[in-house]
Amino acid sequence: VGPYVLVTPNATRRKQLEQIAKKELDDLEQWKKEHRPGPITLMPQRLGGNESEAQVRQNQQMILMQSKYQKKHKREEYVKAKKAAEEAEILKKKAIQREKAERLEVKKRQEEMQRREMLLADQKYKTNELLNRLDVGLPKSDSCQIANPGPESTAWKRSHAYKQALREEENRRLEEMKQEQQRKAELMELKQKQEEETRTRALKNEQRSCLQSLLIFYCTLRVNNAFLDRLQNKTQPNDIYHPGYTG
C-alpha cells in the first residue's frame, strides 16, 4: 500500500454542524405543530330514509321488472320494425316488377294492334284493288237494267255483295277489338282495385296487431302493479318492526 496522510478530526466544526442540524429539525417539528390541521366540524344531519329495507327491496324489484318489460318491448318493436321494413322492401320490388310486366304487356298489345291494323289496311287495299279490276270489266248501272240480267249483272251483284261482306267483316273485327280493349281495361281496373284492397287489408291487420301488443303490454303492467301493491299492503304493517327500519 502506498503512503497516506492521517488528518485529525476537527471537533469544533463537527459540533457546530450537529447544532445546526438539530436546530433545523427542531424548527421543522415546530412548523408541523403550528400548521397541523384543526378538528373537522360537520353540521349534524339525518342519515338513512323513511322506508324500511323490505320496502326498498320491493321498489328495486319493481324497477327491475319494469326495466325488463321495457327492454322486451323495445326488442319486440325493433323486430317488428325490421320485419315491416323487409316486407315494405319486398312489396316495393314486387310493385316494380308488376309495373315492368304491365308496361311490357301494354307494349305487346300496342304492337299487336299495329300489326293487325297494318294487316287489315293491306287486306283492304288488296281487296279494293281486286274489286276495282273487276269493276273495269263490268257495265254501267244504267245498262244493267234489262229484263233478263246477263252474266255481267250477276258478276256485278256478286262483287257488290262481296264488298258489303268485307265491310261488315271489317266492322265486326273493329268492334271485337274495341270490346277486347274495353274488357282488358276493365280487368286491369279490377286488378288494381283488388291490389288496393289487399294493401289496405294488410295495413289494417298490422295496425290491429300493434294495438293488440300494446293492450297485452298494458294489461301485464296493470297486473304486475296490482300484485306489487298487494305485496306492499301486506308488508307495510310489519315494516316498523323490521330490523332495517330507521324511520
Side-chain angles (χ1 to χ4, degrees):
V1 182
Y4 61 92
V5 178
L6 182 61
V7 179
T8 57
N10 191 350
T12 305
R13 178 63 177 167
R14 185 175 182 180
K15 189 176 181 179
Q16 289 178 356
L17 293 174
E18 289 178 355
Q19 289 178 357
I20 292 170
K22 185 178 180 182
K23 184 177 182 303
E24 290 179 353
L25 291 173
D26 293 339
D27 292 339
L28 180 60
E29 292 295 332
Q30 184 67 26
W31 184 87
K32 286 182 179 181
K33 289 179 181 180
E34 292 177 355
H35 293 82
R36 181 179 297 172
I40 299 174
T41 57
L42 296 175
M43 293 297 293
Q45 59 182 354
R46 186 174 182 177
L47 301 177
N50 296 325
E51 296 180 355
S52 63
E53 184 179 359
Q55 199 168 2
V56 173
R57 296 289 185 187
Q58 184 178 354
N59 293 334
Q60 289 178 352
Q61 186 179 5
M62 184 172 63
I63 293 171
L64 181 61
M65 291 177 66
Q66 289 178 356
S67 66
K68 287 182 179 179
Y69 281 118
Q70 289 176 359
K71 289 181 181 178
K72 183 179 178 181
H73 181 65
K74 288 182 180 179
R75 185 165 57 252
E76 290 178 354
E77 290 294 331
Y78 173 74
V79 173
K80 191 178 294 183
K82 185 177 180 181
K83 187 177 179 180
E86 291 177 355
E87 291 179 355
E89 187 68 23
I90 292 172
L91 290 176
K92 184 178 179 181
K93 291 181 179 179
K94 287 183 178 179
I96 293 172
Q97 294 297 328
R98 192 182 301 111
E99 289 179 359
K100 289 182 179 178
E102 289 177 356
R103 287 198 297 268
L104 184 61
E105 185 69 20
V106 170
K107 186 177 179 181
K108 286 182 179 179
R109 286 200 299 269
Q110 290 177 355
E111 291 177 354
E112 183 68 19
M113 289 178 64
Q114 290 178 0
R115 188 179 66 81
R116 288 183 180 181
E117 289 176 357
M118 292 175 65
L119 182 62
L120 289 174
D122 186 56
Q123 186 177 3
K124 184 178 180 181
Y125 175 75
K126 289 183 179 180
T127 303
N128 291 330
E129 185 179 359
L130 177 62
L131 293 175
N132 291 329
R133 284 203 303 267
L134 291 174
D135 289 340
V136 170
L138 294 176
K140 301 296 180 179
S141 59
D142 54 354
S143 63
C144 293
Q145 297 177 357
I146 55 178
N148 294 321
E152 294 181 354
S153 62
T154 305
W156 181 85
K157 288 181 180 179
R158 288 178 182 177
S159 65
H160 184 71
Y162 181 67
K163 284 184 179 181
Q164 188 68 24
L166 286 177
R167 283 196 217 95
E168 291 177 356
E169 181 69 18
E170 185 177 359
N171 292 330
R172 186 181 62 81
R173 289 181 181 178
L174 289 174
E175 188 66 26
E176 288 179 356
M177 290 176 65
K178 288 181 180 179
Q179 291 178 0
E180 184 180 359
Q181 293 297 325
Q182 185 177 1
R183 185 169 58 255
K184 289 182 179 179
E186 291 176 355
L187 290 174
M188 186 174 293
E189 185 178 359
L190 180 62
K191 185 178 179 181
Q192 290 178 356
K193 287 183 179 179
Q194 291 177 354
E195 291 176 355
E196 186 68 24
E197 290 177 357
T198 304
R199 286 195 294 269
T200 305
R201 195 179 301 111
L203 183 61
K204 288 183 179 179
N205 292 331
E206 186 177 359
Q207 291 177 355
R208 191 180 297 110
S209 63
C210 291
L211 289 174
Q212 288 177 357
S213 300
L214 290 174
L215 184 60
I216 291 170
F217 175 73
Y218 178 70
C219 293
T220 307
L221 186 61
R222 288 190 61 184
V223 171
N224 292 331
N225 289 332
F227 176 71
L228 294 174
D229 290 337
R230 288 197 298 272
L231 286 178
Q232 186 175 3
N233 293 329
K234 287 181 181 179
T235 57
Q236 190 172 3
N238 298 324
D239 285 341
I240 57 175
Y241 301 104
H242 199 276
Y245 184 78
T246 59

